[in-house]
Amino acid sequence: MRFLRGLPGWGWLTLALIILMSTPLWVLFSFVFEPTNATWSHLSETLLPQYVANSIWLMLGVGVGTLLLGVPTAWFVSQYEFRGRQLFQWALLLPMAMPAYIIAYTYTGLLVFEGPVQSALREVVPLTMMRAFFPEIRSLGGAIVMFSLVLYPYVYLLSRAAFANHSQQAMDASRLLGAGPVRSFFQVALPMARPAIIAGLTLALMETLADFGTVEHFGVAAFTTGIYRTWTGFGDTVTTAHLSLLLLAFVLTLMAVELWSRRQARYFALSAPRPAAHLPRLRGRGAWLAVFWCSLPVVFGFLVPGGQLLYWAVATAETGLNAEFALLVWNSFYLALIAGLVVVALAVWMAYAKRLFPHPMVRGTTRVAMLGYAVPGTVLAVAVMIPFAWVDQQINAWVQTHFGVSVGLLLSGTLFALVFAYAFRFLSVALQTVDAGLQRIKPSMDESARMLGANATEILGRIHLPLLRTSLLTAFILVFVEVLKELPMTLILRPFDFNTLAVRAYEMAADERLADAGLPALLIVLTGILPVIYLSRLIGKSHA
């Protein structure tokens, strides 16, 4: 083990911590060698082809949808001045606050047969004609539209940064050579922004594959719904693990394609981004097109569903605002608070270990820790439940043998298992934020403190943590909101009779009580606006 030589004690502890946290995944991978059973044979003949086909169609549809919404809007706001541009800069981020399963609930309430849209149309359009042309919202196509409306900001953010930072000399040169705006976009700007666009598209597709609430509510047979039903309905660990591994293979394929697409892509900006005051101004049809295209995702991705949620919340406030709802808020917020503190503490530990000891093994383990965000929540929940349930069984059997009593579940089905899963999945979010903050602190400050007799712990507590306050708060807010929105992991791993806002919204929607889902869903969306505000401020500073 020559590569481990020189690894310090803190590095060993970090390595052990990562191995412990990633144990569920290694256990899940071990099921590759388990033989299939009758349940798997039945699924492979009936539902598995639908899972694969629907996953492919979802990725194709969402890919097209997010590109059509994300790339043109990023091009307009980064390259042109038009009426409302400053508003659209941050408003185009608002759909990020709307989880896909919540927007699915709102549009179901709006567009189903008894909803307000069809009810109004029946007053002026014959029923037979309306049935012929009105689309079914609960369908594969409906799911694609929902995902596209809330996931396009991934493409928009990265595309906008790429367009804004590209060399204006290249764009000006293409126009001097006779290329018009459209030709310059397709032949110069788009190829240069390709790595950023594909990176944003990959993130959107990974979120699509990881979703549970939307596809379950729309009745789309997908891997996440199959995993959940196989686990809860059959209790078949082997088949559930095999389905989880197959979904994970889709995710890893997306990651590999994204890395391959950037393998030889190298683009450099020869000049600074053009100031906003010097952007060409759109007029006439061009200005109207920009306003229309930028308004489209904001209106249908945030304002319409947000208005529907607000209407439901007001309509049910008299009966919904009660002690039970207060308990839901308490459960959700204190669970998110605990998870946020744990994840931020782990992020500080690992980022500081990498700063103190830049050993290849330490850097490698921190990269492993950042893989959790790529694992779908349903897969990670099963991966956590399998080893935790096995440990519980062993402890219970040992206690029964020696003391004749049953201790029940100590790990699985407890808040410990839930926070453990949150920590592994969302550690990447906090670690990147904290690591970026640490990199802005000059190493000379550490050296000066050591010369004055301070040890590593004192340097962290008295120098780094005060300087990292903004980064730590940012990391905490991001993790807090992610935990609050998380549905499949909470649904599978939560203790018995423990509900959160996300679970209650899911339960009400599953019972077709969509209006009763308005209050918890609205609170989730309002909390989710916090990271959007933070991102908007960052964008404003970068373009000041």
Side-chain angles (χ1 to χ4, degrees):
M1 306 286 285
R2 184 177 300 175
F3 65 95
L4 291 176
R5 290 178 183 175
L7 189 64
W10 200 319
W12 279 107
L13 288 175
T14 305
L15 176 60
L17 183 62
I18 295 298
I19 293 175
L20 177 64
M21 290 184 62
S22 57
T23 298
L25 283 184
W26 310 132
V27 172
L28 185 64
F29 281 123
S30 70
F31 278 86
V32 172
F33 306 102
E34 289 285 335
T36 58
N37 53 26
T39 306
W40 175 263
S41 301
H42 173 71
L43 284 176
S44 62
E45 295 174 358
T46 55
L47 292 174
L48 188 58
Q50 292 183 46
Y51 296 161
V52 175
N54 287 340
S55 296
I56 293 173
W57 282 115
L58 277 173
M59 287 192 293
L60 289 175
V62 174
V64 172
T66 52
L67 288 175
L68 288 177
L69 293 177
V71 176
T73 52
W75 176 252
F76 285 134
V77 300
S78 64
Q79 297 295 315
Y80 296 101
E81 181 61 48
F82 55 92
R83 185 181 298 273
R85 173 182 171 273
Q86 292 185 347
L87 174 66
F88 287 124
Q89 281 184 335
W90 62 267
L92 283 164
L93 297 174
L94 286 174
M96 293 187 76
M98 189 77 62
Y101 62 90
I102 288 180
I103 197 175
Y105 301 160
T106 60
Y107 273 104
T108 298
L110 283 169
L111 301 178
V112 290
F113 182 80
E114 63 276 11
V117 174
Q118 290 204 49
S119 297
L121 284 176
R122 284 197 296 272
E123 298 293 330
V124 294
V125 179
L127 181 61
T128 54
M129 182 183 298
M130 194 176 67
R131 284 179 174 174
F133 77 85
F134 200 87
E136 174 58 50
I137 183 64
R138 287 186 168 181
S139 62
L140 180 63
I144 289 173
V145 174
M146 297 300 103
F147 285 131
S148 300
L149 285 173
V150 297
L151 296 179
Y152 82 87
Y154 287 109
V155 177
Y156 164 76
L157 271 174
L158 296 179
S159 301
R160 180 185 168 185
F163 289 143
N165 292 322
H166 280 164
S167 171
Q168 290 298 328
Q169 294 178 2
M171 299 299 300
D172 294 339
S174 69
R175 291 173 183 173
L176 286 173
L177 292 173
V182 175
R183 188 176 176 187
S184 296
F185 170 74
F186 281 104
Q187 294 190 356
V188 179
L190 204 58
M192 292 177 69
R194 189 192 69 186
I197 293 172
I198 292 179
L201 181 62
T202 302
L203 290 173
L205 295 183
M206 287 169 61
E207 289 289 340
T208 301
L209 289 175
D211 177 82
F212 169 76
T214 306
V215 291
E216 198 277 338
H217 186 66
F218 280 6
V220 178
F223 279 107
T224 49
T225 57
I227 292 168
Y228 179 76
R229 291 169 185 169
T230 304
W231 178 263
T232 57
F234 295 98
D236 190 334
T237 302
V238 175
T239 303
T240 305
H242 285 163
L243 283 174
S244 300
L245 289 170
L246 198 53
L247 175 56
L248 200 55
F250 269 81
V251 175
L252 294 176
T253 301
L254 280 176
M255 295 174 66
V257 169
E258 194 270 333
L259 289 173
W260 176 81
S261 69
R262 294 189 290 119
R263 183 179 53 181
Q264 294 180 336
R266 297 292 186 272
Y267 302 108
F268 301 94
L270 302 178
S271 62
R274 180 179 293 178
H278 298 160
L279 293 176
R281 187 170 189 87
L282 289 176
R283 302 183 185 278
R285 287 183 299 178
W288 281 108
L289 177 62
V291 172
F292 171 77
W293 208 259
C294 291
S295 300
L296 199 64
V298 176
V299 171
F300 292 102
F302 185 80
L303 295 180
V304 171
Q308 179 65 64
L309 288 178
L310 183 61
Y311 172 78
W312 283 342
V314 172
T316 60
E318 186 175 352
T319 57
L321 289 175
N322 50 30
E324 185 182 6
F325 182 75
L327 181 61
L328 286 176
V329 175
W330 167 253
N331 287 345
S332 302
F333 277 73
Y334 96 77
L335 181 61
L337 175 66
I338 293 172
L341 292 175
V342 169
V343 172
V344 170
L346 290 171
V348 170
W349 174 288
M350 294 176 191
Y352 193 51
K354 189 171 69 170
R355 179 185 178 93
L356 282 180
F357 313 107
H359 190 279
M361 200 62 190
V362 176
R363 292 183 177 274
T365 53
T366 54
R367 291 193 186 99
V368 172
M370 296 172 68
L371 293 176
Y373 198 69
V375 182
T378 314
V379 173
L380 189 55
V382 172
V384 168
M385 185 63 79
I386 291 173
F388 277 31
W390 181 85
V391 171
D392 277 341
Q393 291 173 1
Q394 301 306 309
I395 294 175
N396 194 53
W398 185 86
V399 172
Q400 280 188 329
T401 301
H402 291 80
F403 302 99
V405 296
S406 175
V407 295
L409 300 177
L410 299 177
L411 298 177
S412 56
T414 65
L415 287 181
F416 177 83
L418 198 51
V419 173
F420 182 93
Y422 289 150
F424 186 65
R425 173 146 169 76
F426 301 125
L427 181 58
S428 172
V429 176
L431 185 56
Q432 292 186 69
T433 306
V434 174
D435 194 35
L438 270 178
Q439 290 179 11
R440 290 193 293 267
I441 300 175
K442 295 181 179 180
S444 58
M445 298 185 67
D446 299 36
E447 296 169 1
S448 300
R450 290 193 191 96
M451 291 179 64
L452 294 173
N455 57 34
T457 305
E458 292 173 332
I459 294 173
L460 176 64
R462 300 174 66 177
I463 298 177
H464 289 167
L465 291 183
L467 293 174
L468 287 172
R469 280 179 298 185
T470 303
S471 296
L472 295 178
L473 180 61
T474 300
F476 175 79
I477 291 174
L478 292 175
V479 175
F480 185 94
V481 173
E482 288 286 353
V483 171
L484 200 67
K485 296 190 298 184
E486 174 60 37
L487 176 61
M489 285 198 301
T490 310
L491 196 62
I492 295 174
L493 295 172
R494 66 193 170 115
F496 177 73
D497 204 24
F498 181 90
N499 272 0
T500 64
L501 292 168
V503 172
R504 175 51 57 89
Y506 165 80
E507 290 176 342
M508 293 298 99
D511 292 339
E512 300 299 331
R513 296 167 57 186
L514 292 170
D516 291 323
L519 270 173
L522 181 63
L523 188 53
I524 292 172
V525 172
L526 291 177
T527 310
I529 293 177
L530 292 175
V532 173
I533 295 173
Y534 170 74
L535 282 173
S536 301
R537 291 182 61 186
L538 281 183
I539 291 173
K541 290 179 180 178
S542 64
H543 291 83

